Amino acid sequence: MYKSNDLILRTTTSIIVFILLGFSIYLLLAGHNSPGGGFIGGLITASAIMLLYISYGSETIEKILPINYRLLVPIGLLLALGTGIGSFFFSVPFLSHTYGYFHIPFFGELELATAMLFDTGVYITVLGVTLTIILSISKDQ
Amino acid sequence: MLTMHAAIIIPFIVAALIPFLAKRLKTLHIGWFVLLVPFGLFLLLTSYIPMIARGETISQTIHWIPNYDINFTTYLDGLSMILALLITGIGTLVVLYSIYYLSPEESLKHFFVFLLLFMGAMLGVVLSDNILVLYVFWELTSISSFLLIAFWYHRKKSREGAQKSLLITVSGGFAMLVGFIMLYVMTGTFSVQEIIHEIPKYTNHILFLPALVLILIGAFTKSAQFPFHIWLPDAMEAPTPVSAYLHSATMVKAGIYLVARFTPVFGGEALWFWLVGGIGLLTLFWGSFNAVKQTDLKALLAYSTVSQLGMIMTMFGIGSAALYFGYSTESVIYTQATFAALFHLVNHSTFKGALFMVVGIVDHEVGTRDIRRLGGLVTLMPITFTISLIGSFSMAGLPPFNGFISKEMFFTSVLHIGELNIFSMDTWGILFPVIAWIASVFTFIYSMIIVFKTFFGPYQLGKLERPAHEPPLGMLIAPSVLGLMVVGLFFFPNVLGNNLLKPAMAGIFPTFPADRLDVEIKAWHGFNMELFMTFGVAAVGTLMYVALRYWKGIYRLAPEKWTFNELYSFALDQLEIRSRVVTDSYMTGFLRDYFIYIFLFFSVLIGGTLIYTGAIDFGISSNAPISVYEWILAVVMVVAGISILFAKSRLTAILLNGVLGYSIAVFFVLFRDPDLALTQVGIETVTTVLFLVSYYFLPEWQKENTPKRKKGLNILISVSVGVVFILLALAVRSGKLFESISGYYENAYKLAGGKNIVNTILGDFRAFDTMLEVVVLLIAGIGVYSFVKSKSKKGGHNIEDQ
């Protein structure tokens, strides 16, 4: 077990991480209409997770978050690619996006766009790649 | 129909079959099967002789690449017929001879495959009308000859001889190809017959003379003319049947054939006359002069071949003068030189083929062909002696052999050439008979050496590997047939003249009336100048042969190093050494140097273009005003950028680099691009962290020990690249040609339902780019992961770490 007296770091981390994660999700979702998007969202999520690794050590985090980040890369890529391929089913060119306004309970009037799906794919890929690179380098002896 | 195509293709088909047959045929010598090919083709071709003798020609076409006017067209006239008969006829005899010459332990299937390839290629050369197809076959003869010379590839000398002949003949062939293409550019056709019709319109064309010279280079290299003759003596490392076939009777005649074939195209041109006639005369003398000093019989024959080819070339050169005048009674005299050339072409093939085979027999029976070890074989090998006597005396130009007639005709033509008052012949014309006569004397001497040094004098059994005796009968058949032809052509020369040479003349001089080209060959032509010259040759030649040991010292006058062989080896060595030096000088293996080339290229090319086109033209008056924040940031970045260059530690450099990155992010903020600013901050952080991670593994930051001059150069280059870049950016900035398309993206909300234009462009309008960038990320991730993982799999036993 990783033992140290980084009490302040750990305590602040546990708060900051949620703020960071929330901010990154905000950036991802808000990207269509305000600054942000999948790329920066992915980077910030990655940095939040990195912060966890730094303050709690890899063994703890691997127990809490048993995610294989390498797997996220193809998932994200498939999502982005699938968005593009999906447009074939509607006899439109590759990667043609569309959007619409829907009334959803609790949220009210909401705009949903296929570009959002694409952005999510970018988000997942960036997250996966960044963490794969950093983790594999840091674990290298 | 298409018999000529069949004649060319059959040898190739049989060559392809031989490896299979060689496996099946265990008892029968594979050569007997091969023998059918040239013999059958010879019979086939003889059946066309009556037709050719009537002055008819046969032209057949198979379309190959019709769009480019490249068709496999064959054309059979007297000239092609002579050579085709030589190829197949002597081919038959050589195959027969080699059946007995080569032992069954040799790799016979290779030998006969190469030989048949050569035969087909050679037939292709002489029968093709399309010059590109001719070129293809021409190169095939070079390649198959290369393979045949290096048949005993375990010998170093064979390999070197093969390499030399390939290099020389192929470079000549390449020059010839360029000449052919020039002809096509001028006349618009690849067909020789059509070129002959078209060419009078283009004699003043700028490409006419270059084409002439280039085609002649091809012909001279192939026919071993001075100074390209050096490959022929070295090619004597080949088995003797190959030397007899390729290097006396057929391949070396390919250049002669080419000259004859293109005489109607270029003949009458002073340059053609001087090159063909002059180089031929020089070769004639140089070959005969050098043949005398050889001690190896095959080398002697090689030089004698060079000399005889020069003689044929000279006669073609003289004959081409006839075309200068066009048809008239005077010019017909010069056509007789061409006639003599064709006649000697046949004669030389007969006696030289026989002589090579005789030398091969001597070599085969006693194990040496060094004339210092040979002697006294006359009683032991009477038949061989008789044949070599016939061949040598014919070569020396003595009656009653065919060489006598062609030599007399040669003298006639060189005597006539002095009367020519074109091409400044009135002053230089006297050279022709004089050099021809001197060369004939040397020819006489070396012919005597062959006969008397080999067959007379003391029999030196101790110096021989095996006691001498007559070879098997089969080996004697081929040289005997050639020997009989040597004598037969003396007594009945007009059979050949009327049936083949006359139609060939019609092909070389198409504008002349055919009946005026007829020459009656007479063995006895009365007491005249030519006959007295021959008497002189015989008398002086005999005297000089007897006194050989007294004047042989002249060959040692010139130092050993002053030969063309030495020059060739020197050039080849130097080429290798120099090119290595050149390559080593710029391929240093240092990335730094390669970057210098790239940057230099960039600044010279872009900067040069800027200056050359006058594009350095910019104004900054229309630019937006620069705010104080921008000034501050710019100064910060300049300071940070310059400080990196002087950083003492790597950590400082990394941090300063971070300063640059964050400043850019602030610039993005100032220029109102929040998305880029966000991303830049994120990425800059990640990069800096990665730098710091790798920093841990890197060696100490050391002061580079670059010399001052190199440092100065680096500064110069980097400053020039920077300046060029700035100038380019300013010039582009102030030279807007079109309206920006960004107006379209302002409709992002209507078109894509997003208010963030950057994001809609990335995710919607141009999402394809984004997708591929995500793929780039994926590849980078996989790359890093696999680098790290595959390294650790070695278990830390990395050799480079130690």
Side-chain angles (χ1 to χ4, degrees):
Chain A
M1 227 15 217
Y2 182 79
K3 281 200 198 299
S4 76
N5 294 325
D6 299 337
L7 191 63
I8 299 172
L9 178 67
R10 289 189 183 187
T11 316
T12 44
T13 300
S14 53
I15 299 163
I16 288 173
V17 159
F18 285 104
I19 298 173
L20 276 177
L21 286 176
F23 181 55
S24 71
I25 300 294
Y26 162 76
L27 281 175
L28 168 68
L29 295 177
H32 213 47
N33 291 313
S34 359
F39 197 92
I40 187 66
L43 273 183
I44 289 179
T45 312
S47 59
I49 293 171
M50 276 320 294
L51 193 59
L52 283 175
Y53 269 91
I54 290 168
S55 40
Y56 289 98
S58 58
E59 281 177 36
T60 322
I61 299 305
E62 270 160 20
K63 228 178 247 172
I64 299 167
L65 289 174
I67 303 168
N68 186 355
Y69 297 105
R70 291 196 302 278
L71 217 59
L72 290 182
V73 182
I75 291 173
L77 205 63
L78 279 177
L79 190 60
L81 203 67
T83 321
I85 291 170
S87 47
F88 289 145
F89 294 107
F90 301 95
S91 325
V92 283
F94 184 63
L95 273 174
S96 298
H97 288 308
T98 182
Y99 63 94
Y101 297 94
F102 301 95
H103 191 83
I104 291 168
F106 184 69
F107 288 104
E109 188 86 41
L110 201 69
E111 183 204 350
L112 291 177
T114 49
M116 195 62 232
L117 279 175
F118 182 78
D119 238 10
T120 314
V122 174
Y123 170 85
I124 297 173
T125 317
V126 170
L127 177 64
V129 167
T130 319
L131 284 172
T132 307
I133 291 177
I134 292 174
L135 288 179
S136 46
I137 289 178
S138 60
K139 280 180 188 166
D140 183 34
Q141 294 311 306
Chain B
M1 279 315 278
L2 299 178
T3 33
M4 291 308 120
H5 292 88
I8 296 169
I9 291 164
I10 283 172
F12 290 109
I13 295 173
V14 177
L17 291 177
I18 281 182
F20 301 105
L21 274 167
K23 245 183 214 169
R24 297 271 182 284
L25 290 176
K26 291 284 181 226
T27 48
L28 191 64
H29 195 290
I30 185 79
W32 291 110
F33 175 74
V34 175
L35 189 64
L36 296 175
V37 177
F39 191 59
L41 293 178
F42 182 76
L43 291 182
L44 175 79
L45 285 164
T46 28
S47 70
Y48 283 93
I49 290 180
M51 208 168 149
I52 296 294
R54 286 197 301 272
E56 291 171 35
T57 58
I58 308 167
S59 180
Q60 295 160 337
T61 299
I62 291 179
H63 289 290
W64 182 21
I65 316 173
N67 284 354
Y68 291 101
D69 194 19
I70 300 170
N71 294 312
F72 190 5
T73 306
T74 56
Y75 180 78
L76 185 73
D77 65 350
L79 184 59
S80 329
M81 190 64 166
I82 293 171
L83 277 136
L85 284 176
L86 281 179
I87 293 159
T88 51
I90 297 190
T92 312
L93 297 174
V94 162
V95 170
L96 180 67
Y97 177 76
S98 54
I99 289 171
Y100 291 94
Y101 185 85
L102 292 171
S103 78
E105 277 93 71
E106 301 275 9
S107 177
L108 286 174
K109 57 182 180 204
H110 289 113
F111 180 81
F112 285 114
V113 167
F114 300 157
L115 199 73
L116 281 174
L117 276 183
F118 172 78
M119 197 179 288
M122 199 63 212
L123 282 169
V125 166
V126 299
L127 292 173
S128 292
D129 181 52
N130 192 293
I131 46 180
L132 278 196
V133 177
L134 191 152
Y135 173 74
V136 170
F137 285 119
W138 184 276
E139 292 300 337
L140 256 178
T141 62
S142 295
I143 291 165
S144 47
S145 155
F146 168 77
L147 293 169
L148 282 168
I149 294 169
F151 179 64
W152 289 314
Y153 53 83
H154 47 273
R155 291 188 196 166
K156 186 163 177 281
K157 279 191 135 181
S158 297
R159 296 196 302 269
E160 282 173 356
Q163 186 205 35
K164 194 184 219 176
S165 76
L166 189 75
L167 281 177
I168 293 179
T169 52
V170 168
S171 9
F174 197 68
M176 191 182 85
L177 175 65
V178 178
F180 282 170
I181 292 169
M182 285 178 174
L183 272 184
Y184 178 72
V185 169
M186 280 189 280
T187 59
T189 172
F190 281 126
S191 159
V192 179
Q193 296 308 315
E194 284 170 31
I195 287 172
I196 291 170
H197 285 293
E198 290 289 315
I199 204 72
K201 292 181 224 160
Y202 300 101
T203 43
N204 291 321
H205 197 284
I206 189 166
L207 289 178
F208 184 73
L209 289 182
L212 184 158
V213 172
L214 287 170
I215 289 174
L216 272 187
I217 288 175
F220 285 172
T221 49
K222 200 74 158 183
S223 283
Q225 297 295 300
F226 187 89
F228 308 114
H229 64 275
I230 50 170
W231 67 266
L232 191 61
D234 283 8
M236 290 302 130
E237 293 300 322
T240 303
V242 173
S243 309
Y245 188 39
L246 274 69
H247 307 127
S248 71
T250 53
M251 190 177 91
V252 289
K253 303 264 160 68
I256 304 271
Y257 167 78
L258 197 77
V259 168
R261 190 44 99 203
F262 279 87
T263 296
V265 178
F266 297 115
E269 198 63 36
L271 188 64
W272 177 268
F273 172 82
W274 274 113
L275 280 178
V276 178
I279 300 279
L281 202 64
L282 191 58
T283 315
L284 166 64
F285 169 73
W286 191 249
S288 62
F289 178 70
N290 273 296
V292 176
K293 75 169 175 186
Q294 304 302 323
T295 51
D296 179 3
L297 277 176
K298 271 178 91 176
L300 192 154
L301 286 178
Y303 275 106
S304 112
T305 304
V306 169
S307 159
Q308 302 281 322
L309 292 170
M311 175 173 159
I312 301 172
M313 230 18 138
T314 314
M315 290 192 274
F316 272 119
I318 295 170
S320 77
L323 284 163
Y324 178 81
F325 299 105
Y327 173 69
S328 68
T329 36
E330 296 95 64
S331 61
V332 167
I333 292 171
Y334 302 112
T335 64
Q336 292 178 2
T338 307
F339 193 88
L342 291 169
F343 187 51
H344 193 65
L345 178 77
V346 178
N347 292 347
H348 175 250
S349 300
T350 55
F351 66 69
K352 194 51 69 66
L355 280 175
F356 265 111
M357 289 176 186
V358 165
V359 168
I361 289 171
V362 171
D363 188 16
H364 197 262
E365 296 311 318
V366 304
T368 182
R369 13 173 243 260
D370 192 327
I371 49 173
R372 288 167 301 192
R373 292 161 69 184
L374 293 169
L377 299 180
V378 59
T379 48
L380 297 159
M381 302 168 86
I383 306 174
T384 318
F385 165 70
T386 314
I387 299 164
S388 66
L389 186 80
I390 292 171
S392 304
F393 279 25
S394 174
M395 185 156 72
L398 297 176
F401 308 111
N402 57 6
F404 171 71
I405 307 177
S406 42
K407 171 82 45 110
E408 296 297 290
M409 291 167 87
F410 174 56
F411 282 156
T412 314
S413 54
V414 290
L415 286 172
H416 275 302
I417 199 70
E419 300 160 12
L420 205 61
N421 46 15
I422 50 165
F423 310 146
S424 54
M425 276 312 289
D426 38 356
T427 43
W428 295 101
I430 189 69
L431 275 180
F432 275 78
V434 170
I435 295 178
W437 188 81
I438 295 171
S440 300
V441 172
F442 281 109
T443 308
F444 186 88
I445 296 169
Y446 70 68
S447 303
M448 294 307 112
I449 289 175
I450 295 174
V451 178
F452 291 103
K453 295 249 169 160
T454 316
F455 293 99
F456 290 95
Y459 175 57
Q460 317 172 64
L461 185 59
K463 289 185 180 174
L464 304 178
E465 286 179 17
R466 292 180 282 275
H469 57 80
E470 277 295 348
L473 190 65
M475 227 163 158
L476 286 169
I477 295 173
S480 306
V481 171
L482 288 172
L484 282 176
M485 278 186 71
V486 170
V487 183
L489 279 173
F490 175 78
F491 290 107
F492 309 103
N494 290 314
V495 177
L496 177 72
N498 291 334
N499 286 318
L500 289 174
L501 303 189
K502 206 175 117 186
M505 291 290 284
I508 296 174
F509 300 104
T511 50
F512 287 47
D515 54 327
R516 294 306 310 268
L517 296 169
D518 196 7
V519 179
E520 190 70 20
I521 309 173
K522 290 187 291 268
W524 173 250
H525 40 76
F527 289 101
N528 54 14
M529 188 65 187
E530 294 90 311
L531 191 64
F532 292 126
M533 278 170 85
T534 303
F535 284 145
V537 166
V540 177
T542 313
L543 274 177
M544 283 178 78
Y545 172 70
V546 172
L548 187 60
R549 80 181 88 133
Y550 300 109
W551 58 273
K552 228 182 169 177
I554 60 158
Y555 287 110
R556 287 191 292 274
L557 283 181
E560 283 279 301
K561 280 185 179 167
W562 288 19
T563 61
F564 286 100
N565 270 320
E566 288 293 328
L567 186 69
Y568 166 85
S569 333
F570 178 75
L572 207 63
D573 286 347
Q574 288 298 309
L575 194 71
E576 220 175 293
I577 294 167
R578 302 285 164 191
S579 47
R580 172 145 282 275
V581 168
V582 170
T583 311
D584 282 350
S585 70
Y586 71 93
M587 298 300 284
T588 54
F590 288 112
L591 274 180
R592 196 172 47 205
D593 291 338
Y594 303 148
F595 274 122
I596 287 179
Y597 309 144
I598 294 169
F599 285 134
L600 263 183
F601 180 77
F602 168 81
S603 50
V604 168
L605 189 77
I606 306 285
T609 314
L610 279 179
I611 294 166
Y612 182 72
T613 57
I616 320 176
D617 174 34
F618 52 87
I620 48 169
S621 53
S622 61
N623 287 5
I626 306 172
S627 72
V628 66
Y629 306 110
E630 286 153 19
W631 276 116
I632 294 169
L633 261 180
V635 169
V636 167
M637 285 181 74
V638 167
V639 170
I642 292 175
S643 318
I644 290 181
L645 302 176
F646 299 97
K648 287 275 183 290
S649 81
R650 186 170 273 130
L651 192 63
T652 325
I654 294 171
L655 292 179
L656 284 169
N657 193 45
V659 171
L660 285 179
Y662 288 118
S663 310
I664 290 171
V666 180
F667 258 122
F668 286 143
V669 172
L670 283 179
F671 292 146
R672 273 161 282 166
D673 197 335
D675 292 275
L676 279 187
L678 269 175
T679 316
Q680 175 67 23
V681 169
I683 285 297
E684 188 56 40
T685 314
V686 172
T687 343
T688 309
V689 168
L690 283 176
F691 265 135
L692 289 171
V693 167
S694 50
Y695 163 78
Y696 180 74
F697 298 99
L698 287 173
E700 274 299 300
W701 175 284
Q702 278 163 346
K703 206 80 196 141
E704 282 174 59
N705 260 336
T706 35
K708 272 228 164 76
R709 263 180 57 203
K710 200 150 197 174
K711 234 175 194 169
L713 182 74
N714 288 350
I715 291 173
L716 198 74
I717 288 170
S718 50
V719 168
S720 76
V721 169
V723 168
V724 166
F725 234 115
I726 292 168
L727 290 177
L728 183 70
L730 285 173
V732 168
R733 173 72 190 74
S734 57
K736 270 197 175 150
L737 295 176
F738 303 104
E739 272 297 300
S740 167
I741 56 162
S742 57
Y744 173 76
Y745 296 112
E746 282 164 18
N747 301 325
Y749 190 68
K750 216 166 67 195
L751 294 168
K755 287 176 193 151
N756 182 348
I757 295 183
V758 175
N759 192 271
T760 46
I761 290 174
L762 288 178
D764 195 333
F765 293 114
R766 315 212 40 179
F768 195 64
D769 296 354
T770 314
M771 204 181 73
L772 293 181
E773 276 153 26
V774 172
V775 173
V776 170
L777 269 182
L778 160 89
I779 292 167
I782 291 175
V784 170
Y785 180 75
S786 44
F787 266 134
V788 169
K789 288 294 161 187
S790 62
K791 193 188 126 209
S792 61
K793 253 182 201 165
K794 282 180 188 166
H797 288 296
N798 199 331
I799 301 161
E800 281 167 320
D801 286 348
Q802 290 160 2

